[in-house]
Amino acid sequence: MTRARLLPWLLGRSDLGERLLEIGAGAGAATAELRKRVPRVTSLEYDHALIERLAQSNGAGAGVVRGDAAALPFADRTFSSAIAVLVLHHLRSSELQDRTFAEVHRVLQPGGRLFAFEISDGWFNRFVHTKSTFVPVQPDALPARLTVAGFARVRLDPRPGGFRFTASRNA
Ligand SMILES: C[S@@+](CC[C@H](N)C(=O)[O-])C[C@H]1O[C@@H](n2cnc3c(N)ncnc32)[C@H](O)[C@@H]1O
């Protein structure tokens, strides 16, 4: 689903540049496909067990980093693009989401873009997440939140059940 449907819709033919940051890579549903599209992919994940799985499936040291999206362990202007698929609602508060936006902006190179996909708020998604974190991102508020983080050219695009958005760091 992620590889065949979601990533083509989210990324289209966008130029991701030379170095992509994958935030909240999970078990790697998108990772192999991203590695086909970009010369260097760094997959960030918070969970220890998932980090081990990712390292095994991608080869030791192959750009798998344990860390927190809200405190990125990378230097300013490291990445040409960043992607976050189904990650933001797992952050424990909207403040942590805002900190993540600011951190992603910091580590992007001028002109770099963030691509993200999120699920909508609603009873079904609240039910599915009763035993995990669900802090839904309200699409209407996103342009202002991303602008405060420093981003420009925010584009939002809904589809049933969720929405994609992109935002750019000014050149
Ligand atoms: C629903 S999974 C999505 C995984 C993957 N992006 C995909 O589409 O299959 C959300 C992932 O975000 C990770 N995550 C949650 N909070 C995080 C944080 N603060 N920093 C980095 N990763 C985080 C979780 O451990 C989980 O693997």
Side-chain angles (χ1 to χ4, degrees), residues 2 6-7 22-31 44-48 50 54 65-72 83-92 96 100 117 119 129 133:
T2 299
L6 189 65
L7 283 182
E22 181 189 19
I23 301 159
T31 308
L44 181 96
E45 174 50 55
Y46 193 71
D47 184 287
H48 281 287
L50 290 171
L54 273 172
V65 174
R66 183 174 183 271
D68 181 357
L72 291 173
I83 184 168
V85 176
L86 297 169
V87 177
L88 294 165
H89 67 267
H90 277 283
L91 302 179
R92 290 186 313 278
L96 287 173
T100 296
F117 175 72
I119 46 176
H129 290 84
T133 306

Side-chain angles (χ1 to χ4, degrees), residues 14-112:
S14 303
D15 180 5
L16 302 176
E18 294 287 308
R19 191 153 183 205
L20 172 75
L21 171 62
E22 181 189 19
I23 301 159
T31 308
E33 190 61 26
L34 294 172
R35 282 165 195 253
K36 287 184 197 159
R37 290 184 61 138
V38 184
R40 289 178 74 189
V41 177
T42 299
S43 299
L44 181 96
E45 174 50 55
Y46 193 71
D47 184 287
H48 281 287
L50 290 171
I51 278 286
E52 280 182 23
R53 274 178 67 178
L54 273 172
Q56 275 167 13
S57 53
N58 290 286
V64 177
V65 174
R66 183 174 183 271
D68 181 357
L72 291 173
F74 307 110
D76 297 358
R77 303 179 176 213
T78 300
F79 297 96
S80 51
S81 53
I83 184 168
V85 176
L86 297 169
V87 177
L88 294 165
H89 67 267
H90 277 283
L91 302 179
R92 290 186 313 278
S93 66
S94 55
E95 289 74 23
L96 287 173
Q97 292 169 351
D98 286 338
R99 219 180 288 166
T100 296
F101 294 147
E103 279 290 89
V104 174
H105 182 269
R106 178 182 68 75
V107 302
L108 278 175
Q109 295 158 1

